[in-house]
Structure formats: structure tokens, C-alpha cells
Amino acid sequence: MKKRISALLLALALALPLSGCTAMLERGHETVSTHVDYAVMEDDSVLRAESYQGLVNAILYFVNGRYIRGTIRLYNYTGDVEGDLANARDEVMYEDPLGAFSVRSLSYDTTRILTYYEVELRISYSRSSRELEELREVMGLAGVRQELSRLVTEQRDSAVFLASYFSGDQALLETLLDLACSSAPELYRHHDIRQASIALYPEAGTRRVIEVKLGWSQSVDAVAEEEKSYAQQLEGAAAALLEAAPAAGAGYTVEELAAIVREASGPRSPDGTDLALDVLAGEPASDFGLLMAMEYLCLQCSVEVEPVSGQAGLWLIVSTAGGYRHLLPSGLWPVEAEEVGEEEPAEPEKLLYTDQELTELGYTWPNALHPACEDYAAQEDAGG
């Protein structure tokens, strides 16, 4: 026997997000009280609405349920039916995340029947039910960064997810993707992705579907196999260098790891290698290559590290005993002997900087994406 749907049960059910092929609400013979935006009538393909918001929500009900047809009956409707239908269709197709992502077309016909208007909907989709079922929801900037990190570290060629409480634009997503790629120094093919595409559904708002695709000149499996071989070689090279230069204390300091990079690298060259493995093997190194080598050693030694992309290029933020610090590539340049009567080693460039020191040098970077690099000990001394 079909069950009646109470107003409370229906309101609770409609407050939950519907996705994929989720089971529909149980059918009922009667409508619910008029304060609800819309109601299921004699079967779940016929809905009743009495307001513009009820009309929008009714269309979303059909879209989220993957219906290809549906009927909406507008009772006691005082608005402009045709105008409101056009606006509601646009709202669903261009402002709702799942609608913008999955609806290819949405058309309708209206008929006046005594005391109500009957709207017949026809909906076609550009995405499969499986694609919607697999759509993960993440929260805020941190959730978006985590998904992009998974895309890179799992060596996939695409990622699609629903981001809530995130208002960033495509430019920010491109920056976050570059940072995610630079955060995996062993995945060298990911450091130069020239055909990445990013789409947002809709483009603006705080709740959107984000789709990222990485274009490769060969299959993603071939790329993964290349990077696997490279990662194994890099791990071996780093292990040999760390064994030859053991830490003075319980664990390596940032300064000790930087010294290993300087000693292992060949001369700095703008045309030098960008690969951490080649840097650690003594080849001429670019600034990027030096940073990737340093980042890899930090990761191997459990030193917290992350790349930073600013107007001056790429550098690192590392965790030290005194807090987070900026590490510029110039601090990793190999030290060359200089003539001062007799050969003496030159001093390396300054390695670590606070936010204030770097700002005074004219550097800018997206502060909100990175931890603060503050000299708290100096602040306490000044305050004391």
C-alpha cells in the first residue's frame, strides 16, 4: 500500500542533497500543507508548487533524480508563469552546481487547466549517473587543495569534485595545481604540464563543481611508469648522500640538508637541469632543480616543506626549530672558491628568511595560502 508523506518527513527529505540514482521519495496520494515549497502528488513524477522558489526546487528535484520527464502543477500561482519558468530554468542550468555540470538541455510546455498551470518538463543530461555518484564533496580551500594533491600523487589524468565554501576563480585553481605538482619532486613529468584544463560549474559562487584535466602526449599509464622508475632512482641517490653525511643530532636540520644539496650539485646555470636526480648527481642546476632536490631531501627526512609561487618565481617554506621560514634558491647555490691571496671557500648566500625580511627585499606571495614565517623569539624579546 502506498504511504502518505507527512509534511515534516517531506521537508526533511527535501533538505538533503539528492544525487545520482538515489532512491526517490515514497509516493503519496495527497499534497502536504501549503508552507512547503513543493510537494509530491499522486506519483513522484508529478509535483505541486505555489511559489517561484517552489518551482525552482521542483525542477531541481527532477534534475537531482535524473528524470528525463516530469510534471509540475502550479496552484494559486500569482507570478508570471512563462517569465518565472524561463528564469527558473536558467537558475537550475547556470547557477546550481549539479545542474550546470550535468544538464545538457531543459525545455518545457505549459497548459492552463482550470485552477492550476501544468508544466511538462523534458531534460537531457551531459553526464552519466555514475559520474554524479562518484562526485566527492570537499569543504573550503583546504579541501580543494587536498583534491588537487590527490590528483597529482595518485597520478591520475583528471579529477572532478564538488567544492563548498570556496569562491576562488580559475587563476587561483591554476596556482593551486602548480603548487600541488611542485609538492611532488619525484613526479618530474608533473612539473611541466602545458595542457591542463580547469572548468567550474558555475563559474562564480561558493558552491561549484570543479573539473580538472591533465593533457599528456602519451597515456597516463606510460607517464606513471616513467615517474615510478625516476622516483626509485631519486630515492637511491638521496639515500646514498644522506648516508655519507649523517645528521649531527637526532634528525637533519634544514641547514644540513641545504649543505648536502650545495655539495652534491654542479655549478648553477640558468640552463641547468630542472630534475632533482640530476642535481644530486652533480650536473649543472637551475634554481628550480635545486629547489626540487632540497624539497625531496626534506620530505625524506620528515622536515615539513611546501613550495611557494610568487612574483619572483618559486621558493620553499620549511619548518625549523624557530618556526616556519622562507628558503630562497640562492641559498642553495653551490659555493665556489674565490681568490683572496689564497683559495678560501666563499660563504653561502643567506638561506632562511622571515616574512618581514622577504617583504623588505621586495618579494610578494599569496600569504593566505601559506603559513606565516614570523620570528616569535625576537617579538617576545621586544615585548619583554
Side-chain angles (χ1 to χ4, degrees):
M1 177 181 297
K2 296 182 179 179
K3 299 179 181 179
R4 295 175 181 271
I5 302 178
S6 69
L8 176 60
L9 178 59
L10 181 60
L12 289 174
L14 298 180
L16 297 174
L18 301 174
S19 63
C21 296
T22 305
M24 294 294 100
L25 297 174
E26 295 183 62
R27 299 178 180 182
H29 291 298
E30 296 180 358
T31 65
V32 297
S33 56
T34 57
H35 71 273
V36 178
D37 280 332
Y38 68 94
V40 178
M41 299 187 70
E42 62 266 22
D43 66 48
D44 55 15
S45 65
V46 180
L47 304 181
R48 169 176 175 152
E50 298 187 9
S51 66
Y52 174 77
Q53 192 57 54
L55 174 61
V56 172
N57 290 341
I59 298 174
L60 285 172
Y61 175 92
F62 290 127
V63 168
N64 292 334
R66 303 290 292 179
Y67 285 81
I68 61 173
R69 291 183 180 276
T71 301
I72 304 172
R73 291 176 182 169
L74 301 176
Y75 285 87
N76 305 317
Y77 201 86
T78 58
D80 177 0
V81 173
E82 290 297 330
D84 286 355
L85 273 169
N87 291 334
R89 176 190 58 195
D90 289 348
E91 186 171 333
V92 169
M93 289 189 65
Y94 305 117
E95 298 179 27
D96 178 76
L98 296 183
F101 177 65
S102 66
V103 175
R104 175 181 286 115
S105 66
L106 196 164
S107 59
Y108 53 83
D109 293 315
T110 58
T111 304
R112 175 71 175 178
I113 302 177
L114 297 177
T115 59
Y116 64 89
Y117 291 91
E118 184 159 285
V119 181
E120 296 289 343
L121 299 175
R122 295 177 299 279
I123 311 169
S124 65
Y125 300 92
S126 58
R127 309 285 178 166
S128 68
S129 296
R130 182 176 180 178
E131 286 180 277
L132 294 183
E133 289 168 358
E134 294 177 347
L135 203 61
R136 292 164 53 92
E137 182 169 9
V138 302
M139 299 295 174
L141 176 63
V144 171
R145 297 190 74 169
Q146 184 177 26
E147 283 302 301
L148 295 177
S149 178
R150 288 181 63 243
L151 167 65
V152 173
T153 56
E154 294 177 7
Q155 296 170 285
R156 294 182 283 127
D157 59 354
S158 64
V160 184
F161 52 92
L162 176 63
S164 295
Y165 305 105
F166 175 77
S167 57
D169 58 10
Q170 183 166 338
L172 175 59
L173 287 167
E174 290 172 354
T175 296
L176 296 178
L177 178 59
D178 287 342
L179 291 175
C181 291
S182 300
S183 296
E186 73 281 9
L187 302 182
Y188 75 102
R189 289 289 300 277
H190 282 75
H191 299 160
D192 188 27
I193 298 174
R194 299 179 182 275
Q195 299 178 354
S197 64
I198 298 174
L200 297 94
Y201 306 90
E203 291 188 2
T206 58
R207 189 168 186 266
R208 291 167 293 170
V209 173
I210 297 174
E211 183 176 40
V212 183
K213 294 181 179 179
L214 307 182
W216 301 109
S217 58
Q218 58 191 114
S219 72
V220 66
D221 290 336
V223 170
E225 191 61 31
E226 279 187 23
E227 290 184 326
K228 179 181 178 180
S229 175
Y230 175 85
Q232 291 172 343
Q233 296 177 62
L234 180 56
E235 183 180 10
L241 289 172
L242 292 171
E243 183 178 0
Y252 283 94
T253 66
V254 170
E255 289 82 0
E256 288 173 329
L257 295 177
I260 292 175
V261 173
R262 290 192 210 99
E263 185 66 25
S265 173
R268 173 181 174 265
S269 170
D271 299 321
T273 181
D274 287 340
L275 303 181
L277 177 60
D278 293 343
V279 171
L280 297 182
E283 294 191 17
S286 68
D287 285 354
F288 184 87
L290 291 168
L291 290 171
M292 291 300 98
M294 180 65 186
E295 183 179 19
Y296 186 79
L297 291 183
C298 287
L299 293 172
Q300 291 298 99
C301 298
S302 300
V303 174
E304 190 177 349
V305 60
E306 64 179 62
V308 182
S309 181
Q311 290 184 341
L314 193 76
W315 64 89
L316 304 176
I317 285 180
V318 293
S319 178
T320 73
Y324 292 107
R325 293 291 183 270
H326 297 272
L327 188 155
L328 299 183
S330 57
L332 301 172
W333 291 347
V335 178
E336 299 179 0
E338 61 180 13
E339 294 185 4
V340 286
E342 60 183 42
E343 289 191 349
E344 293 181 1
E347 289 295 321
E349 296 283 340
K350 181 178 171 66
L351 182 65
L352 303 174
Y353 298 82
T354 64
D355 285 348
Q356 181 178 345
E357 289 172 331
L358 212 56
T359 300
E360 290 173 353
L361 292 176
Y363 283 76
T364 59
W365 64 95
N367 307 68
L369 301 182
H370 304 286
C373 299
E374 302 289 346
D375 188 349
Y376 296 109
Q379 291 177 8
E380 290 177 2
D381 291 343

